[in-house]
Amino acid sequence: MKNKIKLVSLILSLLTLFGCAEKPLQSSGESSVTNSEVSSTDVASLVSEDEESATVNENKEQFLKAPEGADGFVYDRETFRFTTKDEMEVRGGMMDPHTPYVKEYDEYIQYYKENNYIYVKVSIAGESFSVINSKMGNTCLFSNEKNMDGVFTPVLIEEVVDSLGNKVTVSKGDIVYVHEWYSKVSEKLIKLWEDTLAQDKENYIENEYNDFEVREKIIDYSKAHTNDNSIKLYYAYPMEQGKSYLVLIKNEKLTNSLDMDMYDTWPYVLNLGDSAPDSYKDTDFFLYFYYQYEILWKACKDLYGSYFD
């Protein structure tokens, strides 16, 4: 801040020295704005923009390590594999991916506004880590959150794209942790599935999408794939390093035991800089969420086209 004030003062001094910031003529009953006042505002604005850009560039150079005790990793599609098709084979068929429950974008936008979401442009700023049943490793992160699962990834806020009329609590250049809706298959995750299955059996919670026998088969299959970088997809593909994304974040910091800047998200992460929605070709066919993802991607491209180019 001191440097900014010094810079503004220096520029104004130079303007005055060369006659560009003369005192105005005063006339009765009229108000006037000095050139120096206008120059001060303009220069301060330029300096502020430069500082924002400098902060973004500086933070881009950082790459954060996962917190101590976490399973830090960086997703890339060459190293990791999805369990989706394998699970369908274990299941013995698909849960009819051709008839997903699809909403148009207009049906979502009011919900986003009423529930304090904002659109931000982000890029990955460090290692992701798993959260299983609200725990990161052996550390309980979310005592007030019920069964928080998935992955948290540090991202750089490149720009606040649309506040949707909500008060914005993040700024360009910030690095925050956002919730991604997938999980790495691990022994701890499988143990959670086993415990949940046992509880459901005890409470007799069973239906066509919650078949006990099928869930047991998937658990048995997963036990053999805990060390091969398998990923269980929920509602979105993972973000990748080196790309930018349009993300809806819940504009309220999640209370957590490590006091990190953590935010929940709407599940669908929209890839930018591509001519089409992200795709894993034949895997898309097996994902009921993909149809909704396509609709949202195309709707947002129409609304925020310059960010998608």
Side-chain angles (χ1 to χ4, degrees):
M1 180 59 73
K2 288 182 180 178
N3 290 335
K4 184 170 81 173
I5 293 172
K6 288 180 180 177
L7 179 58
V8 171
S9 300
L10 176 60
I11 294 174
L12 291 178
S13 298
L14 291 172
L15 289 172
T16 302
L17 178 64
F18 290 101
C20 298
E22 300 171 352
K23 291 184 179 180
L25 296 173
Q26 300 293 332
S27 59
S28 176
E30 293 182 0
S31 63
S32 60
V33 180
T34 68
N35 288 337
S36 62
E37 287 172 337
V38 174
S39 299
S40 174
T41 301
D42 291 345
V43 171
S45 175
L46 287 171
V47 173
S48 178
E49 290 177 5
D50 287 344
E51 284 186 338
E52 277 190 344
S53 298
T55 300
V56 170
N57 291 332
E58 181 181 338
N59 285 342
K60 274 186 176 179
E61 299 300 317
Q62 299 184 42
F63 198 77
L64 302 181
K65 290 289 185 181
E68 186 176 351
D71 64 332
F73 68 96
V74 179
Y75 171 80
D76 74 83
R77 62 180 67 201
E78 300 300 323
T79 303
F80 291 82
R81 60 183 295 277
F82 301 139
T83 62
T84 310
K85 287 199 297 182
D86 299 331
E87 287 185 11
M88 291 301 178
E89 291 177 5
V90 171
R91 184 183 295 277
M94 294 182 292
M95 292 190 297
D96 197 4
H98 299 288
T99 56
Y101 179 59
V102 174
K103 289 185 178 182
E104 296 300 326
Y105 184 76
D106 289 346
E107 296 182 69
Y108 278 112
I109 194 66
Q110 193 59 37
Y111 178 86
Y112 299 156
K113 291 178 178 178
E114 292 174 354
N115 288 272
N116 202 21
Y117 283 92
I118 62 172
Y119 273 117
V120 291
K121 178 184 177 182
V122 307
S123 55
I124 288 180
E127 292 181 336
S128 304
F129 60 87
S130 300
V131 172
I132 300 172
N133 200 20
S134 297
K135 290 183 178 181
M136 178 194 71
N138 296 320
T139 301
C140 185
L141 279 181
F142 304 108
S143 58
N144 296 326
E145 299 290 332
K146 185 178 181 180
N147 299 330
M148 174 69 83
D149 295 312
V151 165
F152 275 85
T153 301
V155 297
L156 172 68
I157 304 291
E158 296 186 15
E159 189 171 344
V160 176
V161 174
D162 193 343
S163 69
L164 300 177
N166 294 312
K167 182 179 178 181
V168 178
T169 59
V170 297
S171 301
K172 180 178 179 179
D174 287 352
I175 291 180
V176 301
Y177 290 83
V178 297
H179 183 202
E180 292 201 71
W181 293 71
Y182 70 91
S183 290
K184 279 182 66 182
V185 177
S186 65
E187 292 180 2
K188 286 187 176 181
L189 183 63
I190 293 171
K191 179 65 165 60
L192 175 63
W193 292 346
E194 289 178 322
D195 292 345
T196 304
L197 176 59
Q199 186 176 5
D200 288 350
K201 282 183 175 181
E202 185 177 341
N203 296 323
Y204 298 100
I205 301 174
E206 186 172 13
N207 55 47
E208 61 179 314
Y209 299 113
N210 202 20
D211 181 81
F212 294 158
E213 184 178 350
V214 168
R215 288 168 64 184
E216 287 172 347
K217 287 181 179 179
I218 291 175
I219 287 172
D220 288 340
Y221 167 83
S222 299
K223 285 179 179 179
H225 294 82
T226 56
N227 297 312
D228 61 0
N229 291 323
S230 291
I231 282 179
K232 168 79 171 179
L233 295 175
Y234 299 131
Y235 299 105
Y237 287 132
M239 291 189 289
E240 294 184 81
Q241 188 180 1
K243 298 188 67 172
S244 293
Y245 295 87
L246 186 66
V247 178
L248 267 170
I249 66 170
K250 181 82 167 176
N251 199 28
E252 301 165 2
K253 182 178 172 181
L254 288 169
T255 301
N256 63 90
S257 61
L258 297 182
D259 197 29
M260 296 191 294
D261 291 328
M262 306 183 79
Y263 291 84
D264 206 356
T265 62
W266 190 252
Y268 305 102
V269 175
L270 308 179
N271 55 300
L272 301 176
D274 298 317
S275 60
D278 206 354
S279 172
Y280 283 77
K281 298 180 181 178
D282 56 338
T283 301
D284 302 342
F285 178 77
F286 296 91
L287 300 168
Y288 71 91
F289 72 73
Y290 192 81
Y291 304 89
Q292 192 65 66
Y293 163 69
E294 279 188 312
I295 288 173
L296 293 177
W297 191 94
K298 291 173 182 176
C300 286
K301 190 177 191 311
D302 289 340
L303 287 171
Y304 311 111
S306 60
Y307 293 95
F308 283 76
D309 297 333

